[in-house]
């Protein structure tokens, strides 16, 4: 079949195959069974290239050897250099650098996890009718419940959340001190497995899942073994299999491989026994290269786990299935870990990914099953710009490493195998373990180019001989760099220590209160009965309401939600959507940050801006703050005669001015010329950057990149308001803002509680028309009651937000609190918090963003928050507490966070 060929530089040839035949696939084989195949996806942890029997005959793993021999071994299958990035790529189909997961593993106390913005393979398969189960290691985050397996498409889970632990006790210690049990069945702590070796536990769970699986549903089993990651531990019977290995670590490690092999054998036997084997695809892969410091081995490939060398990224992998059309062969098709996502979806007959899914993986089933060419010609190993920047790419047979390749950069022969083994011919050793030393990394190199077809062990650096090819591959990396999301690597949070939870690794400690969104993004959190962003829209419409109504009637104008493809910064986002913003030729436009509330009076801001010189680009609304609080905001120095901005400093380290930025702007359409200049400069910096120093960020901050440089130019002005304004970053700020919005409702004649007063009303109160209020209840001041909420007989509510569906039983008291959706407060109970308003004795004081914990590690007094679906029993007191969702409180609590 003819196909076009493109030549890059001086000989890099990439062929693009033109498909002529359209194939519709409902299962693994064209004429296969009507039910989609079962998928068993097995991940071995830290298993090296030289740690498997099809690469090293000294490894005693007969099941893996047989399954690989009867299936298709994948000799050019790539993964990420370390664990969390590989698992992220596997389950999302996307390069980790597009997810913020490129830099490191997730450490136990890091308050983050794999982004919730991208669906996982498990979610896709569950939607397609699969029963989905996860067994083994997770390592994709657990500080929030939303990050855990059963919240991410898996119907069951047995295993551990962190990256490593003791194989028998299932405890993990922390470098920072503290230790705890990390073993769960679904969300419950599983203590009953203490003393049992993990691969045996996971094999038994896989057997249970398979044996109880309903025959009329396809199965997805994600079996991520702890083996063979450190610590090096194995039952004695496996250690005894390797008497000829003198190196203790290597002998233990090989025993762990044999234990893994026995576990896989049990899975295969269970599939056969349950009658599922004939319609099952088994995918086996390592998550990264072997760790030579802990018994693993990648020889003759170069490097180690955590490096961009082939030894860190080329996986020991195979596919085994009766559905393979051409089994019993080795495939050299180029495959990346992201490819399993679309490949499995095709096997499942699930809806195929669309361009909007932004997948990096491609469907490789034809290459695997039929032996057709790979569906890809390029692999990006990684792009990381943190600390020691490094990136690598392969196109065709050529591989470029640019920047830091990682530590352990040599070739590491298998330790302890230089003497005679009783069961192995001695002639294997001398040829395989010859010491090589040329072209080793010295630390001064920053660019390597290899031809992997002739030099798969990366000995001969061709960078100096092929400069045009190096330039082309660097250019490709920089194009991919545009999609890079900053690494999501926050510092450890001591709140996550298992010592805080009875020596158990727990979830819920990094839940972000924005301002306790509970179930919705912060802009949609209801304050005074309306989403925060609705107050912004009303502020915009106040001046232009009649005009907007006429435009809506004539042109069907609607509010639009535009989402950035990545975090671009405020000005970067404006520039991305400049065509939509400038549609219709407006002279100016408002910009309002979503985390502020206030009496915006945009009509006055607009009038002020129109009075400025014709070339004015931007007017920022400002307000007064205390001297101490001002350094937490953007500070403005003003020419009091002209109101021009003379100087701007974003969160300065020392005092600049008490005049602070409110995050409200009006901009001339000419501002896009200024933003465009910054955009072009940043693009030039990116294309000329060297990864040794790290390319600059693409984000464009409105404050740092636009407002600050324009200060003193006479084209940026400040409008000072004395009206109410507040950030809304905490739950306490939500109550504070609720009070002021209710006051605004009354001043502007907006409806609050009905004139009929369904109960005793004190001060400003807003009640949703669908709420049920007993006539004897007393509400106010500063109370909002949401849709379908119920307030019972004799209830007293003050300074609180009652969200939709919440129920307060008779004679209960609620003070300075937020009651979450569908929560229940039992009869005669008291829910009370501590007000956190600005200091009334300090003029211009703003809300302080007080941390949850003080310097002694104790909870700071704050309002009480009940998450959604929290049930408080009757006659209980909950004081100064934060209760996460779905909890039943059967006793009283004080100054606690309940996870």
């Amino acid at each position: 079949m003819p196909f076009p060929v493109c030549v890059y530089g001086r000989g890099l040839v990439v062929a693009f195959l033109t498909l002529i035949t359209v194939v519709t696939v409902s299962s693994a084989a064209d004429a296969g069974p009507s039910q989609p195949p079962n998928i068993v996806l097995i991940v071995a942890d830290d298993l090296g290239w030289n740690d498997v029997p099809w690469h090293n005959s000294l490894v005693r793993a007969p099941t893996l050897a047989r399954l690989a021999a009867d299936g298709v071994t994948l000799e050019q299958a790539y993964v990420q250099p370390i664990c969390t990035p590989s698992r992220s790529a596997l389950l999302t189909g996307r390069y980790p650098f597009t997810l913020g997961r490129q830099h490191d593993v997730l450490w136990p106390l890091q308050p983050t996890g794999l982004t919730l913005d991208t669906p996982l393979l498990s979610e896709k398969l569950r939607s397609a009718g699969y029963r989905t189960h996860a067994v083994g290691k997770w390592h994709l985050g657990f500080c929030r419940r939303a990050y855990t397996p059963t919240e991410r498409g898996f119907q069951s889970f047995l295993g551990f959340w962190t990256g490593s632990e003791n194989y028998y006790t299932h405890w993990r210690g922390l470098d920072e001190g503290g230790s705890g049990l990390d073993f769960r069945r679904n969300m419950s702590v599983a203590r009953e497995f203490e003393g049992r070796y993990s691969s045996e536990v996971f094999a038994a769970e896989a057997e249970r899942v398979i044996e109880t699986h309903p025959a009329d549903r396809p199965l997805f089993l994600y079996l991520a073994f702890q083996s063979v990651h450190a610590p090096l531990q194995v039952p004695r019977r496996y250690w005894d299999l390797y008497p000829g290995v003198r190196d203790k670590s290597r002998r233990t490690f090989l025993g762990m491989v044999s234990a893994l092999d026995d576990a896989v054998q049990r899975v295969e036997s269970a599939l056969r026994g349950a009658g599922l084997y004939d319609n099952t695809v088994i995918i086996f892969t390592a998550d990264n290269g072997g760790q030579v410091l802990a018994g693993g081995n990648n020889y003759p490939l170069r490097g180690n786990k955590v490096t961009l060398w082939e030894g860190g990224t080329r996986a020991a992998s195979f596919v085994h299935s009766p559905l393979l059309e051409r089994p019993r062969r080795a495939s050299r098709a180029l495959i990346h870990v992201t490819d399993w996502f679309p490949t499995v979806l095709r096997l499942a007959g699930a809806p195929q990914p669309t361009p909007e899914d932004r997948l990096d993986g491609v469907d490789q089933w034809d290459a695997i099953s039929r032996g057709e060419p790979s569906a890809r010609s390029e692999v990006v190993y990684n792009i990381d710009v943190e600390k020691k920047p490094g990136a690598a790419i392969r196109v065709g047979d050529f591989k470029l490493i640019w920047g830091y390749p990682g530590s352990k950069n040599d070739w590491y022969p298998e330790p302890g195998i230089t003497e005679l083994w009783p069961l192995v011919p001695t002639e294997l050793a001398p040829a395989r373990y010859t010491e090589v030393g040329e072209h080793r990394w010295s630390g001064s190199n920053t660019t390597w180019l290899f031809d992997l077809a002739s030099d798969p062990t990366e000995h001969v650096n061709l960078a100096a001989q092929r400069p045009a090819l190096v330039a082309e591959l660097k250019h490709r990396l920089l194009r991919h760099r545009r999609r890079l999301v900053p690494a999501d690597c926050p510092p450890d949070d001591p709140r996550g220590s298992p010592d805080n939870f009875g020596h158990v690794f727990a979830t819920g400690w990094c839940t972000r209160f924005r301002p306790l969104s509970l179930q919705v993004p912060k802009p949609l959190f209801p304050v005074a009965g309306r989403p925060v962003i609705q107050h912004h829209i009303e502020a915009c419409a106040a001046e232009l309401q009649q005009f907007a109504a006429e435009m809506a009637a004539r042109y069907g104008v609607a509010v639009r939600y535009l989402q950035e493809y990545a975090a671009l910064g405020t000005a970067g986002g404006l520039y991305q959507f400049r065509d939509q913003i400038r549609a219709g030729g407006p002279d100016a436009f408002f910009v309002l940050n979503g985390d502020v509330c206030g009496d915006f009076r945009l009509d006055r801001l607009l009038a002020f801006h129109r009075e400025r010189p014709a070339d004015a680009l931007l007017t920022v609304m400002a307000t007064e703050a205390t001297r101490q609080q001002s350094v937490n905001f953007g500070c403005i120095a003003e020419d009091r005669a002209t109101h021009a901005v003379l100087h701007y400093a974003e969160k300065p380290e020392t005092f600049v001015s008490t005049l602070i930025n409110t995050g409200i702007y009006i901009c001339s359409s000419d501002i896009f010329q200024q933003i465009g200049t910054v955009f072009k400069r940043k693009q030039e910096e990116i294309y000329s950057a060297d990864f040794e120093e790290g390319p600059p960020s693409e984000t464009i901050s409105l404050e740092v990149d636009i407002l600050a440089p324009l200060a003193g130019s006479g084209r940026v002005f400040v409008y000072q308001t004395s009206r109410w304004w507040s950030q809304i970053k905490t739950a306490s700020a939500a109550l504070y803002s609720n009070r002021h919005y209710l006051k605004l409702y009354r001043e502007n004649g907006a409806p609050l509680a009905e004139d009929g007063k369904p109960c005793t009303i004190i001060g400003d109160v807003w009640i949703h028309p669908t709420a049920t209020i007993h006539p004897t209840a007393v509400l106010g001041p500063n109370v909002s009651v949401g849709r379908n909420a119920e307030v019972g007989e004799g209830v007293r509510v003050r300074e609180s937000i009652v969200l939709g569906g919440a129920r307060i039983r008779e004679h209960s008291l609620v003070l300075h609190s937020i009651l979450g959706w569908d929560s229940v407060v039992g009869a005669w109970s008291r829910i009370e918090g501590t007000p956190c308003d600005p200091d009334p004795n300090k003029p211009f004081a703003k809300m302080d963003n007080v941390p949850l914990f003080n310097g002694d590690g104790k909870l700071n007094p704050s309002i009480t928050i009940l998450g959604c679906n929290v049930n408080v029993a009757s006659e209980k007191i909950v004081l100064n507490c934060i209760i996460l969702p779905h909890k039943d409180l059967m006793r009283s609590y004080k100054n606690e966070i309940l996870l």
Side-chain angles (χ1 to χ4, degrees), residues 715-761:
R715 304 189 70 187
V716 178
F717 298 87
V718 56
Y719 167 75
Q720 185 172 350
T721 179
S722 59
R723 307 292 295 183
W724 161 70
W725 173 88
S726 176
Q727 286 185 320
I728 188 163
K729 294 183 178 293
T730 65
S732 298
L735 281 185
Y736 176 69
S737 300
N738 194 78
R739 179 187 311 128
H740 284 278
Y741 272 131
L742 293 179
K743 181 181 178 182
L744 282 179
Y745 287 176
R746 184 168 298 282
E747 291 175 355
N748 297 332
L752 292 170
E754 298 295 331
D755 292 338
K757 292 186 178 179
C759 62
T760 300
I761 301 294

Side-chain angles (χ1 to χ4, degrees), residues 102-148:
Q102 66 274 19
H103 182 61
D104 203 351
V105 299
L106 279 167
W107 295 97
L109 300 187
Q110 282 188 300
T112 188
L114 177 59
T115 175
L116 302 175
D117 296 334
T118 300
L120 301 194
L121 179 60
S122 48
E123 297 172 280
K124 294 283 190 178
L125 291 177
R126 187 170 179 179
S127 298
Y130 274 71
R131 299 280 294 178
T132 57
H133 305 273
V135 177
K137 174 175 171 175
W138 181 238
H139 210 187
L140 294 174
F142 65 92
C143 70
R144 295 172 59 191
R145 186 186 180 103
Y147 291 137
T148 60

Side-chain angles (χ1 to χ4, degrees), residues 356-569:
E356 288 72 25
D357 293 319
R358 296 176 291 175
L359 289 194
D360 298 297
V362 293
D363 173 15
Q364 297 278 25
W365 184 247
D366 290 338
I368 296 168
S369 178
R370 299 174 178 172
E372 295 185 5
S374 172
R376 68 163 65 241
S377 60
E378 176 186 280
V379 164
V380 179
Y381 292 73
N382 196 29
I383 300 176
D384 186 8
V385 300
E386 305 293 327
K387 295 182 180 178
K388 295 181 178 179
I393 189 171
R394 173 176 173 174
V395 179
D397 290 326
F398 287 97
K399 173 182 179 179
L400 175 80
I401 299 179
W402 187 12
Y404 180 62
S407 60
K408 304 297 289 184
N409 298 282
D410 285 344
W411 299 263
Y412 304 95
E414 188 174 8
I417 317 293
T418 56
E419 298 185 11
L420 173 66
W421 273 42
L423 302 177
V424 179
T426 57
E427 59 266 21
L428 286 175
R432 298 178 63 207
Y433 306 119
T434 301
E435 190 72 18
V436 285
E438 65 247 30
H439 295 282
R440 290 187 174 179
W441 183 63
S442 66
S444 60
N445 303 14
T446 59
T447 305
W448 295 265
L449 177 70
F450 301 104
D451 181 354
L452 296 179
S454 60
D455 181 25
T457 56
E458 300 174 292
H459 281 80
V460 182
N461 185 2
L462 302 174
Q465 301 166 251
R466 304 290 298 273
L469 181 52
V470 168
E472 167 60 24
L473 293 179
K474 284 186 175 181
H475 183 68
R476 282 184 177 236
L477 276 174
L478 288 172
R479 287 207 306 268
H480 284 291
R481 164 68 176 80
R482 297 176 186 176
R483 297 179 57 211
L484 184 140
V485 173
D488 180 20
C489 296
D492 286 351
D493 188 335
R495 292 180 299 170
S497 173
D499 290 4
N500 297 330
F501 307 101
H503 295 287
V504 172
F505 283 90
T507 186
W509 47 271
C510 75
T511 299
R512 293 173 292 174
F513 302 100
R514 306 177 300 173
L516 184 72
S517 38
L518 299 177
Q519 291 177 320
V520 299
K522 179 166 61 177
L524 301 183
F525 186 87
V527 173
R530 303 175 188 177
V532 170
I533 198 168
Q534 184 174 339
H535 294 290
H536 294 57
I537 295 171
E538 289 177 355
C540 293
E543 170 70 9
L544 306 173
Q545 187 172 12
Q546 182 177 354
F547 174 77
E550 293 175 358
M551 294 300 100
R554 182 176 301 180
Y555 300 113
V557 172
V559 175
R560 296 182 60 190
Y561 174 65
L562 302 174
Q563 184 178 13
E564 304 161 290
Y565 67 85
L568 302 176

